[in-house]
Amino acid sequence: MCQLLGMNSFKPARLDFSLAGFLRRGGETDEHADGWGAACFTDRGCELLIDEGASATSVAAEHFQREHCPVRNVLVHIRKATQGAVSRQNCHPFVRQLWGRDWAFAHNGNLERDKLAVPQLFQPAGETDSEQAFCLICDALVQHFGAEAPTHEALHALLSETADRIAQAGTFNFMLSNGEILFARCATELHYVQRAWPFGRARLLDCEREIEFAQYNNLDDRMIIVATRPLTDEAWQAIPQGRLMAFMQGQMLAI
């Protein structure tokens, strides 16, 4: 299956250290070589970069790791195709607009499409079960809340209910963000770590690289990193199976 990486930060930050290990899993240290993509939320909205090549050898991936601008929210996905051709159209993340904001979604798992409802308001452009599930989430949000954006608590409750219903069709690990809040749902495997004061040292598991975070951060910096599997030797926390967690401003929301 695929793998996921997300960041939610209190202040604009770069993800290049985590990317240095994660992108190698796309064909070098792991088998997820059927495309990759990244959704970065800037002041202009969501900037989407996708590539059907393996991230471990992609020139675009190397450039993205080296040159992407500091942001507060990022979703990154490396794909091992289970449904749909290896093509740009089927690469995650997928993006739709709700309540005047871009929403980005990336999925890890496999859903039986004949067990999924047919989206009504939002239609998939590609062939994947993942995009169909995202469209069903968007349908549910609009049908329930209408034209007015809900509170974080109401949004979390409906997302959790909708995700549980979709998960009856198979494995449904996913990340979803609107540039302010990052949702992460674990079905089988998903982990997170917070990087905040007092900052320590970390070593990547997929390549020979380490960092002393205190050299690059201020006392009030903090961020959450979410990944399918831990990327470093830090004390990652497993998200409980079946739980939808929410992160904002670099910390977990108590909802």
Side-chain angles (χ1 to χ4, degrees):
M1 291 187 289
C2 309
Q3 287 203 24
L4 306 170
L5 171 64
M7 180 189 77
N8 176 270
S9 181
F10 176 54
K11 296 190 294 186
R14 289 176 52 84
L15 192 59
D16 49 322
F17 176 71
S18 296
L19 282 169
F22 182 73
L23 293 174
R24 282 170 168 76
R25 297 181 178 180
E28 181 180 318
T29 62
D30 217 323
E31 59 184 354
H32 315 283
D34 297 326
W36 69 279
C40 293
F41 287 89
T42 71
D43 293 339
R44 299 181 296 277
C46 179
E47 296 185 356
L48 183 64
L49 176 63
I50 54 176
D51 181 0
E52 64 189 47
S55 63
T57 55
S58 167
V59 174
E62 181 182 358
H63 183 269
F64 173 67
Q65 176 192 335
R66 186 177 63 248
E67 302 294 342
H68 76 279
C69 63
V71 293
R72 289 187 174 87
N73 283 272
V74 184
L75 299 186
V76 189
H77 181 275
I78 50 176
R79 185 177 184 230
K80 178 173 173 58
T82 55
Q83 298 186 39
V86 177
S87 68
R88 289 174 55 84
Q89 195 174 40
N90 290 328
C91 288
H92 310 213
F94 304 105
V95 177
R96 296 293 189 274
Q97 190 167 90
L98 293 168
W99 305 304
R101 301 182 72 122
D102 289 330
W103 290 70
F105 171 90
H107 167 226
N108 165 29
N110 191 48
L111 301 168
E112 297 182 47
R113 299 189 69 178
D114 59 353
K115 294 184 179 180
L116 294 174
V118 177
Q120 301 298 313
L121 303 177
F122 294 83
Q123 297 301 318
E127 309 160 328
T128 66
D129 54 322
S130 305
E131 190 180 15
Q132 182 175 344
F134 181 35
C135 289
L136 289 172
I137 288 175
C138 293
D139 272 8
L141 294 178
V142 171
Q143 289 168 349
H144 188 86
F145 295 115
E148 185 174 345
T151 64
H152 294 149
E153 292 78 10
L155 176 60
H156 180 272
L158 187 67
L159 280 174
S160 184
E161 175 186 329
T162 303
D164 288 346
R165 184 168 62 250
I166 292 172
Q168 295 177 16
T171 305
F172 200 38
N173 302 286
F174 72 80
M175 293 192 303
L176 173 71
S177 180
N178 64 357
E180 177 187 31
I181 188 169
L182 172 65
F183 294 99
R185 182 187 191 272
C186 177
T188 54
E189 190 175 19
L190 203 57
H191 299 79
Y192 73 96
V193 66
Q194 184 182 51
R195 293 170 181 163
W197 187 90
F199 294 98
R201 177 183 295 270
R203 178 179 59 83
L204 289 171
L205 304 180
D206 292 86
C207 62
E208 293 297 325
R209 183 170 172 180
E210 62 180 46
I211 190 172
E212 181 66 57
F213 289 116
Q215 296 180 5
Y216 302 94
N217 290 275
N218 297 315
L219 293 179
D220 61 343
D221 288 338
R222 64 175 182 268
M223 69 170 61
I224 293 286
I225 303 294
V226 182
T228 300
R229 296 173 184 165
L231 294 167
T232 65
D233 59 355
E234 297 167 277
W236 292 73
Q237 302 295 312
I239 297 177
Q241 292 183 358
R243 184 175 176 187
L244 177 72
M245 296 185 70
F247 305 98
M248 190 170 73
Q249 297 185 346
Q251 58 191 357
M252 182 171 60
L253 285 180
I255 55 177

